[in-house]
Protein backbone atom coordinates (compact mmCIF):
# COMPACT_ATOMS: atom_id res chain seq x y z
CA UNK A 1 0.00 0.00 0.00
CA UNK A 2 2.74 2.47 1.03
CA UNK A 3 6.32 1.99 0.12
CA UNK A 4 9.28 4.28 0.78
CA UNK A 5 12.44 3.51 -1.14
CA UNK A 6 15.88 4.76 -0.25
CA UNK A 7 14.93 8.03 1.32
CA UNK A 8 17.72 10.53 2.03
CA UNK A 9 17.53 13.68 4.07
CA UNK A 10 20.19 16.06 5.36
CA UNK A 11 19.91 19.20 7.45
CA UNK A 12 22.84 21.24 6.19
CA UNK A 13 25.63 18.69 6.25
CA UNK A 14 24.05 16.62 8.98
CA UNK A 15 22.83 13.51 7.16
CA UNK A 16 19.81 12.34 9.08
CA UNK A 17 18.29 9.73 6.76
CA UNK A 18 20.77 7.66 4.79
CA UNK A 19 18.74 5.49 2.52
CA UNK A 20 15.79 4.23 4.54
CA UNK A 21 13.26 1.92 2.94
CA UNK A 22 9.96 0.93 4.45
CA UNK A 23 7.01 -1.05 3.23
CA UNK A 24 3.58 -0.92 4.84
CA UNK A 25 0.66 -3.14 3.90
CA UNK A 26 -2.97 -2.44 4.61
CA UNK A 27 -3.79 -3.19 8.24
CA UNK A 28 -0.16 -3.12 9.36
CA UNK A 29 0.84 -1.59 12.64
CA UNK A 30 4.48 -0.73 12.21
CA UNK A 31 6.34 0.47 15.27
CA UNK A 32 9.60 2.33 14.73
CA UNK A 33 12.10 2.16 17.55
CA UNK A 34 15.49 3.75 17.85
CA UNK A 35 17.68 5.96 19.98
CA UNK A 36 17.23 9.71 20.10
CA UNK A 37 18.46 11.42 16.97
CA UNK A 38 18.27 8.30 14.82
CA UNK A 39 15.92 10.04 12.37
CA UNK A 40 12.55 8.54 13.31
CA UNK A 41 10.70 11.83 13.43
CA UNK A 42 12.39 13.03 10.27
CA UNK A 43 11.31 9.86 8.45
CA UNK A 44 7.70 10.26 9.51
CA UNK A 45 7.67 13.97 8.69
CA UNK A 46 9.19 13.31 5.29
CA UNK A 47 6.44 10.83 4.47
CA UNK A 48 3.89 13.58 5.13
CA UNK A 49 6.07 16.19 3.35
CA UNK A 50 6.39 18.30 6.47
CA UNK A 51 10.08 17.89 5.77
CA UNK A 52 11.40 17.90 2.23
CA UNK A 53 13.45 14.77 1.62
CA UNK A 54 16.46 15.08 -0.70
CA UNK A 55 16.12 11.80 -2.56
CA UNK A 56 14.14 8.58 -2.63
CA UNK A 57 10.81 7.36 -3.88
CA UNK A 58 7.35 7.08 -2.48
CA UNK A 59 4.78 4.65 -3.80
CA UNK A 60 1.27 5.02 -2.45
CA UNK A 61 -1.24 2.72 -4.11
CA UNK A 62 -1.18 3.93 -7.70
CA UNK A 63 0.83 7.09 -6.98
CA UNK A 64 4.50 6.81 -7.71
CA UNK A 65 6.75 9.81 -7.10
CA UNK A 66 10.28 10.91 -6.35
CA UNK A 67 10.78 13.00 -3.24
CA UNK A 68 13.23 15.35 -4.92
CA UNK A 69 10.78 16.52 -7.55
CA UNK A 70 7.31 15.92 -6.28
CA UNK A 71 4.53 18.21 -7.40
CA UNK A 72 2.21 20.11 -5.09
CA UNK A 73 -0.65 18.15 -6.55
CA UNK A 74 0.89 14.80 -5.67
CA UNK A 75 1.69 16.04 -2.19
CA UNK A 76 -1.91 17.02 -1.68
CA UNK A 77 -3.13 13.68 -3.10
CA UNK A 78 -0.92 11.75 -0.69
CA UNK A 79 -1.84 13.97 2.23
CA UNK A 80 -5.49 13.20 1.58
CA UNK A 81 -4.64 9.55 2.24
CA UNK A 82 -2.63 10.19 5.40
CA UNK A 83 -3.05 11.80 8.79
CA UNK A 84 -0.48 12.78 11.37
CA UNK A 85 -0.63 12.68 15.14
CA UNK A 86 1.94 15.00 16.68
CA UNK A 87 4.02 14.60 19.79
CA UNK A 88 2.74 17.92 21.17
CA UNK A 89 -0.79 17.52 19.72
CA UNK A 90 -0.72 20.72 17.62
CA UNK A 91 -4.42 21.28 18.07
CA UNK A 92 -5.70 24.53 16.60
CA UNK A 93 -5.76 26.86 19.61
CA UNK A 94 -8.53 29.02 18.20
CA UNK A 95 -10.92 26.10 17.64
CA UNK A 96 -12.94 23.87 19.93
CA UNK A 97 -12.39 20.12 20.06
CA UNK A 98 -15.18 19.55 17.57
CA UNK A 99 -14.01 22.34 15.26
CA UNK A 100 -10.51 20.88 15.36
CA UNK A 101 -11.92 17.64 14.04
CA UNK A 102 -14.31 19.12 11.47
CA UNK A 103 -11.91 21.74 10.08
CA UNK A 104 -10.20 19.35 7.68
CA UNK A 105 -13.54 17.91 6.57
CA UNK A 106 -15.24 21.23 5.89
CA UNK A 107 -12.34 23.29 4.61
CA UNK A 108 -9.99 20.82 2.94
CA UNK A 109 -12.48 18.16 1.85
CA UNK A 110 -15.46 20.47 1.27
CA UNK A 111 -17.94 18.27 3.11
CA UNK A 112 -21.28 19.84 4.02
CA UNK A 113 -21.18 21.23 7.52
CA UNK A 114 -23.87 18.97 9.02
CA UNK A 115 -22.18 15.89 7.62
CA UNK A 116 -18.80 17.05 8.98
CA UNK A 117 -20.25 17.66 12.42
CA UNK A 118 -21.82 14.22 12.42
CA UNK A 119 -18.49 12.60 11.50
CA UNK A 120 -16.63 14.83 13.95
CA UNK A 121 -18.89 13.92 16.85
CA UNK A 122 -18.57 10.25 16.03
CA UNK A 123 -14.76 10.56 16.01
CA UNK A 124 -14.75 12.34 19.37
CA UNK A 125 -17.15 9.75 20.81
CA UNK A 126 -14.80 7.05 19.69
CA UNK A 127 -11.87 8.51 21.62
CA UNK A 128 -14.11 8.95 24.67
CA UNK A 129 -14.65 12.70 24.45
CA UNK A 130 -18.39 12.95 23.91
CA UNK A 131 -18.56 15.35 26.86
CA UNK A 132 -15.95 17.72 25.47
CA UNK A 133 -17.13 18.83 22.00
CA UNK A 134 -17.11 22.52 22.81
CA UNK A 135 -13.98 22.70 24.90
CA UNK A 136 -10.99 24.64 23.68
CA UNK A 137 -7.64 22.82 23.70
CA UNK A 138 -6.50 24.97 26.62
CA UNK A 139 -9.38 23.59 28.67
CA UNK A 140 -8.35 19.96 28.11
CA UNK A 141 -5.74 17.78 29.77
CA UNK A 142 -2.78 16.56 27.73
CA UNK A 143 -4.33 13.12 27.34
CA UNK A 144 -7.62 14.62 26.20
CA UNK A 145 -5.82 16.92 23.77
CA UNK A 146 -3.96 14.02 22.25
CA UNK A 147 -7.21 12.10 21.91
CA UNK A 148 -8.66 15.07 20.04
CA UNK A 149 -5.52 14.88 17.89
CA UNK A 150 -6.32 11.25 17.15
CA UNK A 151 -9.98 12.07 16.48
CA UNK A 152 -8.86 14.75 14.04
CA UNK A 153 -6.71 12.16 12.31
CA UNK A 154 -9.36 9.43 12.04
CA UNK A 155 -12.12 11.84 11.01
CA UNK A 156 -10.58 12.38 7.57
CA UNK A 157 -10.73 8.61 7.07
CA UNK A 158 -7.09 8.24 6.03
CA UNK A 159 -5.54 5.08 4.63
CA UNK A 160 -2.72 5.40 7.09
CA UNK A 161 -2.08 7.34 10.29
CA UNK A 162 1.41 8.45 11.27
CA UNK A 163 2.04 8.79 15.01
CA UNK A 164 5.16 10.58 16.23
CA UNK A 165 5.69 9.73 19.89
CA UNK A 166 2.05 10.44 20.72
CA UNK A 167 2.48 9.81 24.43
CA UNK A 168 5.91 11.20 25.20
CA UNK A 169 4.64 14.66 26.17
CA UNK A 170 2.12 13.17 28.60
CA UNK A 171 2.21 12.65 32.34
CA UNK A 172 2.57 8.92 33.05
CA UNK A 173 -0.98 8.57 34.35
CA UNK A 174 -2.39 9.92 31.07
CA UNK A 175 -0.43 7.66 28.73
CA UNK A 176 -2.77 4.72 29.17
CA UNK A 177 -5.87 6.45 27.83
CA UNK A 178 -4.10 7.41 24.61
CA UNK A 179 -2.49 4.02 24.08
CA UNK A 180 -5.88 2.45 24.74
CA UNK A 181 -7.42 4.43 21.89
CA UNK A 182 -4.55 3.48 19.59
CA UNK A 183 -4.90 -0.18 20.51
CA UNK A 184 -8.58 0.02 19.67
CA UNK A 185 -7.80 1.53 16.27
CA UNK A 186 -5.27 -1.22 15.59
CA UNK A 187 -7.85 -3.86 16.45
CA UNK A 188 -10.21 -2.36 13.90
CA UNK A 189 -7.58 -2.76 11.23
CA UNK A 190 -6.35 0.84 10.99
CA UNK A 191 -3.03 1.02 9.21
CA UNK A 192 -0.49 2.94 11.24
CA UNK A 193 3.16 3.79 11.62
CA UNK A 194 3.99 4.57 15.21
CA UNK A 195 7.20 6.04 16.55
CA UNK A 196 7.21 5.33 20.26
CA UNK A 197 9.25 4.34 23.25
CA UNK A 198 6.34 2.38 24.73
CA UNK A 199 7.72 -1.12 24.49
CA UNK A 200 4.56 -2.80 25.67
CA UNK A 201 2.64 -1.20 22.86
CA UNK A 202 5.26 -2.44 20.41
CA UNK A 203 5.15 -5.96 21.83
CA UNK A 204 1.38 -6.24 22.10
CA UNK A 205 0.01 -4.23 19.21
CA UNK A 206 2.59 -4.05 16.43
CA UNK A 207 2.79 -6.65 13.76
CA UNK A 208 6.12 -5.26 12.62
CA UNK A 209 8.90 -3.54 14.49
CA UNK A 210 11.57 -1.50 12.76
CA UNK A 211 14.73 -0.55 14.57
CA UNK A 212 16.52 2.55 13.30
CA UNK A 213 19.90 3.89 14.25
CA UNK A 214 22.08 6.56 12.69
CA UNK A 215 19.67 7.28 9.87
CA UNK A 216 19.40 3.66 8.73
CA UNK A 217 17.10 0.73 9.36
CA UNK A 218 19.28 -1.66 11.31
CA UNK A 219 16.81 -4.48 11.61
CA UNK A 220 13.15 -5.24 11.29
CA UNK A 221 10.85 -8.14 12.07
CA UNK A 222 7.87 -9.29 14.06
CA UNK A 223 7.72 -8.15 17.69
CA UNK A 224 8.58 -11.67 18.68
CA UNK A 225 11.69 -11.77 16.49
CA UNK A 226 12.77 -8.30 17.53
CA UNK A 227 12.26 -8.67 21.26
CA UNK A 228 13.20 -12.33 21.72
CA UNK A 229 15.97 -12.90 19.25
CA UNK A 230 17.29 -9.73 17.62
CA UNK A 231 20.10 -10.44 15.19
CA UNK A 232 22.02 -7.19 15.35
CA UNK A 233 24.23 -6.20 18.24
CA UNK A 234 23.02 -2.59 18.06
CA UNK A 235 19.42 -3.70 18.47
CA UNK A 236 20.38 -5.74 21.51
CA UNK A 237 22.25 -2.85 23.04
CA UNK A 238 19.26 -0.58 22.56
CA UNK A 239 16.78 -3.06 23.99
CA UNK A 240 19.03 -3.81 26.94
CA UNK A 241 19.18 -0.12 27.73
CA UNK A 242 15.47 0.46 27.41
CA UNK A 243 14.18 -2.80 28.91
CA UNK A 244 16.03 -3.51 32.15
CA UNK A 245 14.85 -7.12 32.18
CA UNK A 246 15.56 -7.66 28.50
CA UNK A 247 16.66 -11.19 28.00
CA UNK A 248 17.14 -12.45 24.50
CA UNK A 249 17.75 -15.91 23.21
CA UNK A 250 21.24 -16.33 21.85
CA UNK B 1 -1.81 87.54 32.90
CA UNK B 2 -5.45 86.73 32.32
CA UNK B 3 -7.24 84.60 34.87
CA UNK B 4 -8.25 81.01 34.19
CA UNK B 5 -11.85 80.50 33.04
CA UNK B 6 -12.89 76.88 33.39
CA UNK B 7 -16.28 77.62 31.85
CA UNK B 8 -14.53 78.55 28.59
CA UNK B 9 -13.34 74.95 28.27
CA UNK B 10 -16.89 73.87 27.52
CA UNK B 11 -17.34 76.66 25.04
CA UNK B 12 -14.17 75.63 23.21
CA UNK B 13 -15.22 72.00 23.27
CA UNK B 14 -18.42 72.87 21.46
CA UNK B 15 -16.47 74.77 18.82
CA UNK B 16 -13.99 71.92 18.39
CA UNK B 17 -16.54 69.13 18.06
CA UNK B 18 -17.47 69.83 14.42
CA UNK B 19 -13.82 69.11 13.51
CA UNK B 20 -13.62 65.81 15.31
CA UNK B 21 -14.53 63.94 12.14
CA UNK B 22 -11.36 65.30 10.46
CA UNK B 23 -9.21 63.77 13.19
CA UNK B 24 -11.14 60.51 13.05
CA UNK B 25 -11.06 60.39 9.24
CA UNK B 26 -7.30 61.00 9.28
CA UNK B 27 -6.85 58.06 11.66
CA UNK B 28 -9.14 55.76 9.70
CA UNK B 29 -7.54 56.65 6.37
CA UNK B 30 -4.09 56.09 7.79
CA UNK B 31 -5.02 52.78 9.38
CA UNK B 32 -6.47 51.63 6.09
CA UNK B 33 -3.60 52.59 3.78
CA UNK B 34 -0.81 52.28 6.32
CA UNK B 35 -2.22 48.96 7.51
CA UNK B 36 -2.38 47.59 3.97
CA UNK B 37 1.23 48.59 3.26
CA UNK B 38 2.19 47.24 6.67
CA UNK B 39 0.73 43.83 5.80
CA UNK B 40 2.72 43.80 2.55
CA UNK B 41 5.91 44.77 4.40
CA UNK B 42 5.32 42.11 7.04
CA UNK B 43 4.69 39.52 4.31
CA UNK B 44 7.93 40.57 2.61
CA UNK B 45 9.75 40.10 5.89
CA UNK B 46 8.48 36.61 6.71
CA UNK B 47 8.63 35.19 3.19
CA UNK B 48 11.65 33.64 1.60
CA UNK B 49 12.47 36.26 -1.05
CA UNK B 50 15.73 37.92 -0.07
CA UNK B 51 15.39 41.03 -2.17
CA UNK B 52 11.86 41.82 -1.01
CA UNK B 53 12.95 41.28 2.58
CA UNK B 54 15.90 43.62 2.11
CA UNK B 55 13.68 46.29 0.57
CA UNK B 56 11.19 45.98 3.40
CA UNK B 57 13.96 46.30 5.97
CA UNK B 58 15.39 49.37 4.26
CA UNK B 59 11.96 50.97 4.17
CA UNK B 60 11.36 50.28 7.84
CA UNK B 61 14.83 51.41 8.85
CA UNK B 62 14.61 54.71 6.99
CA UNK B 63 11.08 55.66 8.01
CA UNK B 64 11.70 54.79 11.65
CA UNK B 65 14.48 57.34 11.88
CA UNK B 66 12.37 60.26 10.65
CA UNK B 67 10.39 62.36 13.15
CA UNK B 68 6.75 62.65 12.09
CA UNK B 69 6.81 66.42 11.83
CA UNK B 70 9.78 66.32 9.45
CA UNK B 71 8.13 63.58 7.40
CA UNK B 72 5.03 65.73 7.19
CA UNK B 73 6.98 68.63 5.69
CA UNK B 74 8.96 66.39 3.36
CA UNK B 75 5.73 64.92 1.98
CA UNK B 76 3.93 68.25 1.89
CA UNK B 77 6.66 70.09 0.01
CA UNK B 78 8.41 67.18 -1.66
CA UNK B 79 5.63 64.99 -3.04
CA UNK B 80 4.13 67.65 -5.36
CA UNK B 81 7.63 68.35 -6.75
CA UNK B 82 8.29 64.67 -7.24
CA UNK B 83 4.98 63.99 -8.95
CA UNK B 84 5.33 67.11 -11.08
CA UNK B 85 8.42 65.42 -12.47
CA UNK B 86 6.06 62.72 -13.76
CA UNK B 87 3.67 65.33 -15.10
CA UNK B 88 1.17 64.94 -12.26
CA UNK B 89 0.02 68.13 -10.60
CA UNK B 90 -1.24 67.66 -7.05
CA UNK B 91 -0.90 71.25 -5.89
CA UNK B 92 -4.63 71.58 -5.49
CA UNK B 93 -5.12 68.38 -3.59
CA UNK B 94 -6.43 68.86 -0.08
CA UNK B 95 -4.16 68.87 2.95
CA UNK B 96 -5.80 65.71 4.25
CA UNK B 97 -4.17 63.82 1.40
CA UNK B 98 -0.68 64.83 2.54
CA UNK B 99 -1.46 64.09 6.13
CA UNK B 100 -2.82 60.62 5.40
CA UNK B 101 0.10 59.91 3.06
CA UNK B 102 2.63 60.96 5.67
CA UNK B 103 1.13 59.03 8.50
CA UNK B 104 0.47 56.00 6.32
CA UNK B 105 4.16 55.87 5.44
CA UNK B 106 5.08 55.96 9.11
CA UNK B 107 2.26 53.77 10.36
CA UNK B 108 3.09 51.08 7.79
CA UNK B 109 6.55 50.65 9.28
CA UNK B 110 5.08 50.22 12.76
CA UNK B 111 2.45 47.83 11.52
CA UNK B 112 5.02 45.75 9.66
CA UNK B 113 6.72 45.03 12.97
CA UNK B 114 3.44 44.43 14.80
CA UNK B 115 2.19 41.99 12.16
CA UNK B 116 5.53 40.25 11.74
CA UNK B 117 6.06 39.61 15.42
CA UNK B 118 2.45 38.42 15.79
CA UNK B 119 2.85 36.07 12.84
CA UNK B 120 6.06 34.67 14.21
CA UNK B 121 4.51 34.21 17.63
CA UNK B 122 2.12 31.61 16.20
CA UNK B 123 3.51 28.14 16.74
CA UNK B 124 4.88 26.47 13.60
CA UNK B 125 3.05 23.28 14.59
CA UNK B 126 -0.28 24.93 13.74
CA UNK B 127 0.76 25.18 10.12
CA UNK B 128 1.96 21.60 10.04
CA UNK B 129 -1.23 20.30 11.60
CA UNK B 130 -3.25 22.14 8.98
CA UNK B 131 -1.07 20.79 6.19
CA UNK B 132 -1.40 17.27 7.54
CA UNK B 133 -5.19 17.37 7.25
CA UNK B 134 -4.95 18.63 3.69
CA UNK B 135 -5.50 22.36 4.06
CA UNK B 136 -3.82 24.61 1.51
CA UNK B 137 -1.50 27.35 2.68
CA UNK B 138 -4.11 30.00 1.96
CA UNK B 139 -6.79 28.10 3.90
CA UNK B 140 -4.30 27.66 6.73
CA UNK B 141 -3.54 31.35 6.71
CA UNK B 142 -7.05 32.69 6.96
CA UNK B 143 -8.61 29.92 9.04
CA UNK B 144 -5.83 29.24 11.54
CA UNK B 145 -2.91 31.66 11.46
CA UNK B 146 -4.74 34.96 10.92
CA UNK B 147 -7.24 34.52 13.78
CA UNK B 148 -4.42 33.55 16.11
CA UNK B 149 -2.05 36.34 15.15
CA UNK B 150 -4.86 38.88 15.28
CA UNK B 151 -5.25 38.13 18.96
CA UNK B 152 -1.52 38.46 19.49
CA UNK B 153 -1.32 41.70 17.48
CA UNK B 154 -4.31 43.42 19.05
CA UNK B 155 -2.67 45.09 22.08
CA UNK B 156 0.24 46.39 19.99
CA UNK B 157 -2.15 47.51 17.30
CA UNK B 158 -4.24 49.45 19.81
CA UNK B 159 -1.07 51.07 21.14
CA UNK B 160 0.01 52.09 17.66
CA UNK B 161 -3.44 53.48 16.99
CA UNK B 162 -3.36 55.67 20.10
CA UNK B 163 0.11 56.90 19.18
CA UNK B 164 -1.05 57.65 15.67
CA UNK B 165 -3.95 59.69 16.99
CA UNK B 166 -1.64 61.75 19.15
CA UNK B 167 1.04 62.21 16.52
CA UNK B 168 -1.73 63.15 14.11
CA UNK B 169 -2.18 66.38 16.05
CA UNK B 170 0.98 67.56 14.27
CA UNK B 171 -1.03 67.86 11.07
CA UNK B 172 -1.94 71.45 12.04
CA UNK B 173 1.66 72.40 11.16
CA UNK B 174 0.81 72.15 7.46
CA UNK B 175 -2.57 73.78 8.05
CA UNK B 176 -4.98 70.86 8.38
CA UNK B 177 -8.01 71.97 10.37
CA UNK B 178 -8.71 69.01 12.60
CA UNK B 179 -9.49 69.48 16.30
CA UNK B 180 -5.90 70.55 16.95
CA UNK B 181 -5.86 72.88 13.94
CA UNK B 182 -9.14 74.43 15.01
CA UNK B 183 -7.81 74.83 18.55
CA UNK B 184 -4.79 76.70 17.22
CA UNK B 185 -7.09 78.93 15.15
CA UNK B 186 -9.20 79.75 18.19
CA UNK B 187 -6.12 80.66 20.19
CA UNK B 188 -4.96 82.86 17.33
CA UNK B 189 -8.32 84.57 17.10
CA UNK B 190 -8.24 85.26 20.81
CA UNK B 191 -4.72 86.64 20.47
CA UNK B 192 -3.33 83.96 22.69
CA UNK B 193 -5.79 84.29 25.50
CA UNK B 194 -7.69 81.28 26.69
CA UNK B 195 -4.83 79.16 25.38
CA UNK B 196 -4.80 77.02 28.50
CA UNK B 197 -8.56 76.44 28.34
CA UNK B 198 -8.27 75.48 24.68
CA UNK B 199 -5.49 72.99 25.32
CA UNK B 200 -7.43 71.51 28.20
CA UNK B 201 -10.45 71.11 25.94
CA UNK B 202 -8.20 69.35 23.42
CA UNK B 203 -6.81 67.16 26.15
CA UNK B 204 -10.33 66.10 27.07
CA UNK B 205 -11.11 65.23 23.44
CA UNK B 206 -7.94 63.19 22.96
CA UNK B 207 -8.55 61.50 26.25
CA UNK B 208 -12.05 60.49 25.19
CA UNK B 209 -10.75 59.22 21.85
CA UNK B 210 -8.04 57.17 23.54
CA UNK B 211 -10.52 55.84 26.05
CA UNK B 212 -12.87 54.72 23.30
CA UNK B 213 -10.08 53.03 21.35
CA UNK B 214 -8.70 51.21 24.36
CA UNK B 215 -12.09 50.07 25.61
CA UNK B 216 -13.20 48.80 22.20
CA UNK B 217 -9.96 46.91 21.72
CA UNK B 218 -10.26 45.47 25.19
CA UNK B 219 -13.69 44.11 24.34
CA UNK B 220 -12.53 42.87 20.95
CA UNK B 221 -9.56 41.11 22.47
CA UNK B 222 -11.71 39.40 25.04
CA UNK B 223 -14.07 38.28 22.35
CA UNK B 224 -11.36 36.96 20.01
CA UNK B 225 -9.17 35.19 22.52
CA UNK B 226 -11.68 32.58 23.60
CA UNK B 227 -9.17 29.76 23.53
CA UNK B 228 -6.52 31.79 25.32
CA UNK B 229 -8.77 33.11 28.02
CA UNK B 230 -9.56 29.61 29.15
CA UNK B 231 -5.83 29.01 29.51
CA UNK B 232 -5.47 31.61 32.23
CA UNK B 233 -8.42 30.09 34.09
CA UNK B 234 -7.11 26.56 33.87
N1 LIG C 1 14.59 21.09 11.54
C1 LIG C 1 15.83 20.58 11.77
N2 LIG C 1 16.92 21.29 11.50
C2 LIG C 1 18.15 20.79 11.71
N3 LIG C 1 18.40 19.57 12.21
C3 LIG C 1 17.34 18.80 12.52
C4 LIG C 1 16.01 19.26 12.32
N4 LIG C 1 15.16 18.28 12.71
C5 LIG C 1 15.94 17.27 13.14
N5 LIG C 1 17.25 17.56 13.01
C6 LIG C 1 18.35 16.67 13.35
O1 LIG C 1 18.12 15.44 12.75
C7 LIG C 1 18.54 14.38 13.58
C8 LIG C 1 17.44 13.37 13.71
O2 LIG C 1 16.35 13.97 14.35
P1 LIG C 1 14.96 13.24 14.57
O3 LIG C 1 14.09 14.22 15.26
O4 LIG C 1 14.48 12.67 13.30
O5 LIG C 1 15.36 12.07 15.56
P2 LIG C 1 14.43 11.09 16.36
O6 LIG C 1 14.87 9.74 16.02
O7 LIG C 1 13.02 11.43 16.15
O8 LIG C 1 14.84 11.41 17.85
P3 LIG C 1 13.96 11.49 19.19
O9 LIG C 1 13.81 10.09 19.68
O10 LIG C 1 14.81 12.30 20.12
O11 LIG C 1 12.69 12.15 18.85
C9 LIG C 1 18.99 14.99 14.88
O12 LIG C 1 20.39 15.04 14.87
C10 LIG C 1 18.42 16.37 14.83
O13 LIG C 1 19.28 17.27 15.48
MG1 LIG D 1 11.46 12.23 17.36
Amino acid sequence: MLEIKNIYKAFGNNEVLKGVSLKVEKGDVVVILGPSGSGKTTLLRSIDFLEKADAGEIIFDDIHAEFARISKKTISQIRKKTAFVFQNYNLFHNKTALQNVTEGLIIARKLPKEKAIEIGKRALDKVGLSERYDYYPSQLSGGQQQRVGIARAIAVNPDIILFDEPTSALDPELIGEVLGVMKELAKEGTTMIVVTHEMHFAQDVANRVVFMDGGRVVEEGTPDEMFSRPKEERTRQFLRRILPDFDYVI
Amino acid sequence: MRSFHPSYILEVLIQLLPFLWVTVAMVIGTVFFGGAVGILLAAAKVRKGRITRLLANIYIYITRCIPSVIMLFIVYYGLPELLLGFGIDINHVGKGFFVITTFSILFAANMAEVFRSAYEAVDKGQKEAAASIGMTSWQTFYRILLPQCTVVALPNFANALVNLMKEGSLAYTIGLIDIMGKGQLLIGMNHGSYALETYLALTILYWVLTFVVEKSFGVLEKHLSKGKKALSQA
Side-chain angles (χ1 to χ4, degrees):
Chain A
M1 185 179 89
L2 169 67
E3 187 174 359
I4 305 295
K5 279 189 186 165
N6 256 317
I7 186 170
Y8 282 83
K9 170 71 187 173
F11 291 105
N13 41 22
N14 177 17
E15 279 188 50
V16 176
L17 297 178
K18 306 170 188 165
V20 173
S21 298
L22 186 71
K23 206 169 168 175
V24 183
E25 298 299 341
K26 193 166 163 39
D28 273 354
V29 177
V30 178
V31 164
I32 301 180
L33 303 177
S36 180
S38 56
K40 306 179 298 291
T41 297
T42 307
L43 173 64
L44 227 50
R45 289 170 57 84
S46 301
I47 297 174
D48 212 24
F49 309 99
L50 298 174
E51 218 67 77
K52 193 181 179 313
D54 304 322
E57 287 168 62
I58 180 164
I59 301 162
F60 206 131
D61 295 330
D62 51 348
I63 303 171
H64 191 152
E66 277 177 55
F67 281 108
R69 48 185 132 150
I70 192 155
S71 68
K72 269 197 171 164
K73 190 163 154 265
T74 314
I75 290 180
S76 117
Q77 276 175 338
I78 293 179
R79 276 186 181 155
K80 289 236 157 81
K81 293 166 172 279
T82 60
F84 204 104
V85 175
F86 297 88
Q87 186 170 1
N88 49 2
Y89 336 127
N90 286 346
L91 297 184
F92 303 130
H93 305 312
N94 58 325
K95 309 248 172 229
T96 63
L98 184 59
Q99 289 168 340
N100 262 278
V101 180
T102 56
E103 187 71 8
L105 298 169
I106 299 171
I107 302 303
R109 279 154 222 248
K110 310 283 181 211
L111 252 63
K113 206 171 168 196
E114 304 77 58
K115 181 84 190 143
I117 288 175
E118 189 194 317
I119 297 175
K121 285 184 174 168
R122 216 183 309 135
L124 284 172
D125 295 347
K126 190 163 188 175
V127 298
L129 291 174
S130 26
E131 310 287 307
R132 296 285 184 276
Y133 294 159
D134 298 324
Y135 282 56
Y136 283 93
S138 52
Q139 297 169 306
L140 298 171
S141 74
Q144 291 170 333
Q145 288 188 60
Q146 190 58 293
R147 284 186 283 150
V148 175
I150 295 174
R152 178 171 68 181
I154 57 179
V156 294
N157 193 24
D159 294 344
I160 186 167
I161 306 181
L162 311 170
F163 293 82
D164 185 20
E165 300 201 31
T167 57
S168 65
L170 295 175
D171 292 336
E173 72 270 20
L174 300 177
I175 292 177
E177 59 188 68
V178 171
L179 290 181
V181 168
M182 292 170 62
K183 216 177 231 178
E184 199 56 39
L185 290 177
K187 232 190 263 171
E188 293 169 13
T190 312
T191 312
M192 28 201 216
I193 305 180
V194 184
V195 173
T196 185
H197 291 292
E198 296 296 327
M199 292 302 144
H200 284 290
F201 183 84
Q203 282 167 323
D204 302 344
V205 185
N207 65 331
R208 262 181 46 238
V209 175
V210 174
F211 175 66
M212 277 180 72
D213 193 9
R216 290 195 176 85
V217 172
V218 174
E219 185 173 358
E220 61 174 290
T222 63
D224 189 46
E225 287 166 350
M226 293 294 281
F227 288 105
S228 317
R229 33 183 196 284
K231 296 191 197 73
E232 301 292 328
E233 181 51 33
R234 268 192 291 173
T235 317
R236 286 177 210 157
Q237 274 173 3
F238 174 77
L239 291 174
R240 226 176 282 141
R241 196 150 34 90
I242 211 151
L243 299 170
D245 54 348
F246 173 63
D247 190 16
Y248 54 89
V249 184
I250 301 171
Chain B
M1 202 190 145
R2 201 176 294 268
S3 57
F4 177 58
H5 290 285
S7 65
Y8 191 70
I9 296 176
L10 188 67
E11 213 168 295
V12 176
L13 263 180
I14 291 165
Q15 296 187 63
L16 291 178
L17 274 179
F19 297 87
L20 192 60
W21 74 270
V22 181
T23 301
V24 172
M26 188 280 296
V27 170
I28 292 175
T30 302
V31 167
F32 184 79
F33 293 109
V37 176
I39 288 172
L40 293 179
L41 287 169
K45 276 179 77 97
V46 298
R47 281 176 161 261
K48 287 202 187 83
R50 283 195 181 188
I51 295 174
T52 48
R53 189 187 314 158
L54 182 70
L55 290 176
N57 281 333
I58 291 173
Y59 176 100
I60 292 164
Y61 183 74
I62 291 179
T63 50
R64 276 190 154 185
C65 303
I66 303 177
S68 326
V69 67
I70 295 178
M71 194 65 167
L72 199 54
F73 284 121
I74 290 177
V75 170
Y76 187 55
Y77 293 112
L79 196 60
E81 295 288 324
L82 184 72
L83 290 180
L84 213 52
F86 296 94
I88 304 167
D89 185 2
I90 58 163
N91 278 309
H92 303 292
V93 173
K95 301 215 162 91
F97 168 80
F98 296 100
V99 173
I100 289 180
T101 304
T102 302
F103 287 107
S104 293
I105 291 171
L106 298 172
F107 192 65
N110 286 334
M111 282 302 100
E113 288 303 320
V114 171
F115 292 144
R116 181 197 55 82
S117 61
Y119 182 84
E120 284 174 358
V122 176
D123 172 20
K124 176 166 137 280
Q126 299 284 302
K127 241 187 202 167
E128 298 185 343
S132 78
I133 53 170
M135 291 168 73
T136 64
S137 43
W138 173 243
Q139 289 169 341
T140 306
F141 179 73
Y142 81 86
R143 299 280 309 175
I144 308 295
L145 304 180
L146 191 62
Q148 290 187 29
C149 61
T150 304
V151 178
V152 180
L154 230 40
N156 287 333
F157 183 79
N159 250 335
L161 198 60
V162 168
N163 281 333
L164 165 67
M165 218 159 54
K166 293 194 286 194
E167 299 252 298
S169 65
L170 289 168
Y172 84 91
T173 54
I174 64 163
L176 184 79
I177 314 295
D178 60 349
I179 49 175
M180 181 67 184
K182 181 60 183 175
Q184 293 292 65
L185 283 183
L186 288 176
I187 293 169
M189 272 175 357
N190 294 329
H191 308 288
S193 40
Y194 302 124
L196 181 59
E197 289 85 345
T198 308
Y199 287 125
L200 286 175
L202 281 168
T203 303
I204 292 171
L205 280 181
Y206 279 110
W207 180 79
V208 169
L209 285 174
T210 305
F211 182 81
V212 168
V213 168
E214 286 188 339
K215 275 289 161 222
S216 356
F217 274 84
V219 171
L220 195 62
E221 201 185 331
K222 222 175 191 167
H223 175 72
L224 288 177
S225 60
K226 282 168 289 191
K228 277 244 170 68
K229 190 179 59 190
L231 188 66
S232 50
Q233 284 169 359

